[in-house]
Amino acid sequence: MRIPHSTRLLAALSALPLLAGCFASGGADDDTASAAKDGARLRVALAFPPAERLSPYGADATLLSRLGVTEGLTSLDANGAPAPALAQSWKRVDDRTWVFTLRDATFQDGTRVTPAAVAASLGHAGQAEPAPAALAGAALTAKADGATGVRITTTAADPVLPLRLTSPSLAILAPKAYDAKGAANPVGTATGPFEVTKLTGTTSATLDRFDDYWGGRAQAAGVDARFIADGTARANALRTGEVDVAEAIPVAQAATLDAATRKETATTRTTSLLLNTESGAFKNPALRAAARAAVDTATLAEGVYEGHADAGAGIYGPAVTWAAGKRTAPTGRTAPGKPAGAAVTLATYDNRPELPEAAQVLKQQLEKAGFKVKLEIREYSRLESDALAGKFDAFVLARNTLVDTGDPVAVLASDYTCDGGFNIAQLCDKKVDQAVKAAQGIADTGKRQDAAMAAETAILGTDAVVPLVHQRVITGVGKSVRGVLLDPYERTLVGTGTRR
């Protein structure tokens, strides 16, 4: 039976609310008649530089999707349900088999988007190490099915596969994107409305309009992106007219922007304190419990975030509207122990400027409880590998819980299971793994939500994660700019209709 992209099975599952330095223009002729006809270039300030040379398999995946470079077989619509992208439709053949029908599309290198190319691209994603978060706890095999079809078979029943395939980390790239070792290079090989033509280290990227984009010609001639980790510098660049769009404006800078240029969006992002359960002081569950008891989340929400966030309630925040009514308090937690001067290293990154301030407040709270705390702050691309390797005792992370797939179970599998590819807490707990596995196999929407919340309860019971705040993000948008995509999932920013 054909399953349309508005399938009832998945719609309710993600029933979320709609929720410095000189910056030269990339187009010197923007003010000319030619530029007016062709569309001005957009100048965009981004908070996070590429951490993995624009590989779609890690943190850079959302950077690529936000700039309109990459796309997958499906996308998320405004309500969090799967919608057509490179696949114009799909059907479920049996519990483990789906067939996706491709639309007529072209890669940015001029080659056609064929079933064989799509199957190969998904195959490379499945072999990537570490595995993309969207594939945590899942494995799939893709092959061509006729002239326009791609048949995808999963090792176990996967009722949310169309939702999983919305992940930016499962972007489809041309065959030439992959080297002999399977590494992916999206420069000039993706399918989106904008093509990366130049990447200058971790400082800037130049994108030109891809005129053969299947979804229509973009209104902007291109995008000149700069990666500016300092939030104050991003805000200043917008205020002085050096950039047209600046993401992640610090709450401390929000009042300095004209109200017309300040756009606040409720998101599914939660900032959490992750505690290393594998080594160091927090290997002891009693000390994890002591850390959790020491944290005052209300102080963070009202003080550090100046009311632009809600105090942490769980892994899922209020933007996931169904979660609160299904949440139960963890039981059987280990009683807090006495830190007695236990030394811990607390790390975070400064791309989101509230995080260092939050870490400083946490340092004070933990020290008051009896810990001896060393604070380490770096730019994210210089921190991620050490965090994933478990080199810190504690880590403050801002994580969009639905960015990877739109499925609430996916973030649990990737971040908190033994085989999770983004498990900064190094958690490996049999009860947690069992709870997550049980949730992954459920197709019924309400029951899948119930199982996700049961898994959340099991995770919180380990004290491997202490939810701190649920964020709202502020985007700076120039008064002349139209069509910026303010997305609660933080996957999109620039699209075909974005212009100035």
Side-chain angles (χ1 to χ4, degrees), residues 191-451:
T191 61
F194 294 102
E195 172 185 359
V196 177
T197 56
K198 182 180 180 182
L199 176 67
T200 305
T202 58
T203 61
S204 65
T206 301
L207 292 75
D208 290 339
R209 176 171 51 212
F210 176 46
D211 287 339
D212 291 330
Y213 178 54
W214 62 264
R217 195 167 181 260
Q219 295 187 35
V223 178
D224 295 308
R226 295 287 179 90
F227 307 108
I228 304 176
D230 185 275
T232 299
R234 289 196 302 278
N236 286 340
L238 181 81
R239 191 165 46 247
T240 59
E242 296 177 20
V243 303
D244 304 305
V245 180
E247 70 170 3
I249 297 296
V251 295
Q253 294 292 319
T256 69
L257 298 182
D258 187 287
T261 67
R262 190 175 64 239
K263 312 295 182 182
E264 185 168 316
T265 309
T267 75
T268 55
R269 178 173 297 276
T270 296
T271 295
S272 299
L273 175 65
L274 297 165
L275 304 178
N276 189 334
T277 63
E278 187 177 54
S279 62
F282 292 127
K283 183 176 182 179
N284 182 342
L287 292 188
R288 296 201 299 273
R292 181 249 306 159
V295 173
D296 180 356
T297 59
T299 296
L300 294 169
E302 295 302 320
V304 175
Y305 288 86
E306 301 181 14
H308 293 283
D310 301 295
I315 294 173
Y316 313 107
V320 186
T321 54
W322 49 262
K326 295 175 179 286
R327 178 170 287 121
T328 58
T331 59
R333 274 175 161 164
T334 300
K338 294 183 178 181
V344 297
T345 298
L346 171 63
T348 194
Y349 44 101
D350 55 12
N351 307 74
R352 296 186 181 276
E354 296 83 13
L355 297 187
E357 187 178 350
Q360 185 62 50
V361 172
L362 289 170
K363 179 178 185 290
Q364 295 169 1
Q365 294 178 351
L366 292 171
E367 288 178 337
K368 184 177 180 180
F371 290 96
K372 182 179 179 181
V373 183
K374 175 186 175 183
L375 194 59
E376 185 159 343
I377 299 172
R378 305 180 204 159
E379 192 274 320
Y380 184 81
S381 65
R382 297 176 52 243
L383 196 71
E384 184 188 57
S385 60
D386 284 348
L388 291 172
K391 293 186 179 181
F392 307 116
D393 298 298
F395 193 84
V396 181
L397 176 74
R399 176 81 156 129
N400 193 315
T401 57
L402 296 183
V403 71
D404 291 324
T405 65
D407 172 25
V409 180
V411 72
L412 306 184
S414 66
D415 291 20
Y416 303 107
T417 64
C418 296
D419 295 327
F422 200 71
N423 189 351
I424 292 176
Q426 313 298 313
L427 182 63
C428 188
D429 182 277
K430 183 180 295 185
K431 291 183 179 178
V432 168
D433 275 24
Q434 290 174 342
V436 173
K437 184 177 181 180
Q440 288 174 318
I442 297 175
D444 178 81
T445 297
K447 292 180 179 179
R448 190 177 181 91
Q449 292 172 351
D450 292 340

Side-chain angles (χ1 to χ4, degrees), residues 131-138 158 163-170 404-405 410 414:
L135 294 180
D158 190 353
L163 202 56
R164 189 184 301 280
L165 292 174
T166 68
S167 171
S169 64
L170 299 182
D404 291 324
T405 65
S414 66

Side-chain angles (χ1 to χ4, degrees), residues 34-59:
S34 175
K37 178 181 178 181
D38 253 354
R41 295 182 66 84
L42 292 166
R43 302 161 300 168
V44 178
L46 300 175
F48 292 87
E52 297 158 332
R53 300 180 182 179
L54 291 183
S55 168
Y57 301 142

